[in-house]
Amino acid sequence: MTPDPAADGGTPGDRAADTTGTPPPARHAPGRSAPRAPRRLRPHAPRTLRARATLAAVLVMVVALALGGGWLYVTLRGNLADSTAARTELAARQAAADIAARPGPLPADMPEPAGGVDALVVLDDRGRPLTSTAPDPAARAALLAGFRPAPGEDSAVRDFAPAPALAGHTSLVAVVSTPSPHGERYVYAMTILNAESDAQRALGTTILVGAPVVALLTGLIAWFATGAALRPVESIRRELAGVTADRLGHRVPAPGGRDEITRLAETVNDTLERLERSVTRQRQFVADASHELRNPIAATRAELELALLNRPDPDTAASLSQALASTVRLEHIATDLLLLARLDARRPPAAQLVDLSLLAAEKIARRRSARVPPTLDADDDPVLVRADPGQLERLLANLLDNAQRFADTRVRITTTDDPATGTALLAVEDDGPGIPPEAREAVFERFTRLEADRNRASGGTGLGLAIAREIAHAHGGTLRVEPGEPGERGARMVLRLPRADGPEHG
């Protein structure tokens, strides 16, 4: 929706929403809900770089702990098994050497072996016990008789499952064969694997319990370290988000050092510098061009008006009238562009105490002969703001031109104070076709029109509402399209400005 160019250079548009290409919503039988597509559960990756870095660090640590812990467990288990087998076999060989060196019969009891070996048993070639370091050698003989060195070997080592003859524990047994005048003898050395099992169990428990703790600590360290590293980036992002068209001189903070973040900040500041220079040159060009065009356009308009006063023939008069209308239109465009250039410069307006109700009443008095005369709904008390009266009058004129162009029977101005927000409100409403919700911001863009054509009878170039919003922003206020009352058609433009309670606020 845009105002009449003939008065203020604005551009109206067709505000009715086009729904011809939109398919109607699907309907379903009463009492039945629409069928829903099945939801598929998908894992969501962390969205922030900090979370992704933390997750990566934890995953790397988990993999490292799994591989390292598994390797350590297998290595320790192998080393313990080899060490136990070596000392058990050594004890069996030492006992076999002592038996071979003894000339007489074997003693009934053998001395306890050293090196952590638990028991020794000597059997003959028939599996009968000859001597032992522990009681009840017959039970051990029955269990161990079938375990002999392989042919061509003099020793063997193997594990035995828990059994009563072996004190109910898993044991490692080494056997060494030794010749004697009475036949082959077999010396068995036995080591109970309790200590080795305890060591393996302790290591496994340490890995299973310690790995999650280490992974958690790694995640916490990565989280805080990444947060500290990215804090300058967040500061840059926050400051960059505050850079707007009226704050192009703003720069992002550059942390010390020569790391990647510092170079990023310097690059961003260089880009903002170039952007500011470019926008400044563009605004200056528009202002200069608009200013320079005003004199020749005014001269051309005067020549055309003078030619029409000389009463030319009808054909010439029609051509001159058309050329005059185009010149007037061009003059309004140049004036609007010059005003926009001045507003873009963000110079503080000359603030005076203005009563919005009185300003609206004066505008209504000048438009009583319009096709749709506006009406006023105002508070009894003045609605005071600090503003440039000329710019505020231009803003209201643009809103009224726009509303009167599209209204069917009603244009209403409302002025009031809003104590909840501390603002003064001025609303211009009409009962025309309205503005589609998706176009409520687009109507304030420069050179934007909602209607498809751009014929001169329907409006200008689309600068009216853009100028109105820039004036509102220059005064620290807002201008928006807001929904009207339920059931009412038309458009409702709402201006909000900081309220001034009286002359003492100046």
Side-chain angles (χ1 to χ4, degrees):
M1 183 172 67
T2 49
D4 183 0
D8 297 285
T11 304
D14 185 5
R15 303 183 306 196
D18 181 10
T19 59
T20 56
T22 304
R27 298 183 179 179
H28 305 279
R32 296 184 181 179
S33 60
R36 296 182 179 178
R39 296 179 62 184
R40 287 184 290 181
L41 298 178
R42 297 181 179 177
H44 294 283
R47 296 183 178 180
T48 63
L49 180 59
R50 186 181 188 183
R52 290 199 295 268
T54 301
L55 179 60
V58 171
L59 290 178
V60 169
M61 181 56 66
V62 168
V63 172
L65 289 174
L67 295 177
W71 174 84
L72 180 61
Y73 183 82
V74 171
T75 301
L76 176 64
R77 183 176 181 179
N79 289 339
L80 288 174
D82 293 342
S83 175
T84 303
R87 73 171 184 267
T88 304
E89 184 178 355
L90 178 60
R93 288 189 181 278
Q94 288 176 346
D98 292 342
I99 292 173
R102 180 182 295 272
L106 295 177
D109 294 324
M110 298 180 65
E112 292 291 336
V117 178
D118 295 291
L120 292 172
V121 177
V122 180
L123 305 181
D124 61 12
D125 54 359
R126 293 184 180 183
R128 293 176 299 185
L130 300 178
T131 183
S132 173
T133 60
D136 196 12
R140 286 192 173 90
L143 180 65
L144 301 175
F147 175 42
R148 301 287 174 85
E153 300 289 338
D154 66 342
S155 65
V157 179
R158 60 167 286 194
D159 292 340
F160 277 78
L166 301 178
H169 300 285
T170 301
S171 302
L172 186 141
V173 177
V175 58
V176 174
S177 63
T178 179
S180 72
H182 305 286
E184 197 76 14
R185 294 175 177 175
Y186 298 93
V187 180
Y188 295 86
M190 181 184 69
T191 301
I192 297 175
L193 298 179
N194 285 349
E196 290 76 6
S197 298
D198 291 343
Q200 296 176 24
R201 190 179 302 109
L203 178 60
T205 301
T206 301
I207 293 175
L208 292 178
V209 175
V213 176
V214 173
L216 178 60
L217 291 177
T218 301
L220 291 176
I221 293 173
W223 176 265
F224 288 109
T226 307
L230 294 179
R231 193 172 295 117
V233 177
E234 176 61 22
S235 178
I236 292 173
R237 185 206 63 77
R238 188 168 51 250
E239 295 295 334
L240 192 59
V243 177
T244 59
D246 57 338
R247 296 183 63 194
L248 289 177
H250 201 61
R251 298 294 180 267
V252 302
R258 297 301 305 170
D259 57 8
E260 293 82 354
I261 297 178
T262 300
R263 294 198 295 272
L264 172 64
E266 293 174 350
T267 303
V268 169
N269 285 334
D270 291 342
T271 303
L272 290 175
E273 182 72 25
R274 294 193 298 271
L275 179 62
E276 183 182 15
R277 289 198 299 266
S278 176
V279 171
T280 301
R281 287 195 299 266
Q282 179 185 6
R283 290 173 177 173
Q284 189 61 42
F285 169 77
V286 172
D288 293 343
S290 302
H291 185 271
E292 294 299 325
L293 286 174
R294 293 180 66 185
N295 289 336
I297 291 175
T300 302
R301 178 177 179 177
E303 292 291 339
L304 292 173
E305 290 174 345
L306 181 61
L308 285 172
L309 291 176
N310 292 331
R311 301 182 181 276
D313 59 85
D315 292 339
T316 303
S319 298
L320 290 175
S321 296
Q322 186 175 2
L324 179 59
S326 297
T327 303
V328 171
R329 176 183 171 86
L330 183 61
E331 186 176 30
H332 286 311
I333 293 174
T335 301
D336 287 346
L337 288 175
L338 182 59
L339 176 57
L340 279 173
R342 290 172 178 171
L343 292 172
D344 286 339
R346 305 298 172 185
R347 295 169 184 166
Q352 300 180 21
L353 199 63
V354 178
D355 182 0
L356 293 182
S357 299
L358 180 59
L359 180 66
E362 293 174 352
K363 272 293 180 183
I364 290 174
R366 300 192 191 106
R367 293 174 180 250
R368 295 193 183 279
S369 60
R371 178 181 66 87
V372 183
T375 59
L376 177 63
D377 181 6
D379 288 344
D380 294 334
D381 296 328
V383 181
L384 300 176
V385 297
R386 292 281 176 182
D388 184 325
Q391 291 188 8
L392 212 55
E393 184 178 358
R394 177 63 184 276
L395 184 155
L396 180 57
N398 284 12
L399 297 184
L400 284 174
D401 289 340
N402 193 78
Q404 287 179 309
R405 178 169 296 276
F406 292 100
D408 291 335
T409 60
R410 175 177 58 84
V411 174
R412 182 176 62 192
I413 303 176
T414 303
T415 58
T416 184
D417 282 326
D418 186 359
T421 60
T423 58
L425 181 147
L426 184 147
V428 178
E429 304 172 70
D430 65 71
D431 60 350
I435 299 176
E438 66 274 8
R440 288 178 179 173
E441 283 299 314
V443 295
F444 294 105
E445 297 177 2
R446 301 177 186 186
F447 300 102
T448 297
R449 293 177 57 187
L450 299 186
E451 73 275 8
D453 58 11
R454 280 182 174 268
N455 57 76
R456 294 173 184 172
S458 65
T461 58
L463 294 175
L465 291 183
I467 291 175
R469 172 167 276 191
E470 290 296 334
I471 292 175
H473 287 173
H475 289 81
T478 60
L479 178 62
R480 297 189 179 96
V481 180
E482 296 186 1
E485 295 295 331
E488 291 187 0
R489 67 191 300 265
R492 184 171 186 261
M493 299 282 184
V494 179
L495 168 70
R496 296 181 185 272
L497 294 175
R499 184 178 60 186
D501 294 329
E504 68 274 12
H505 290 270

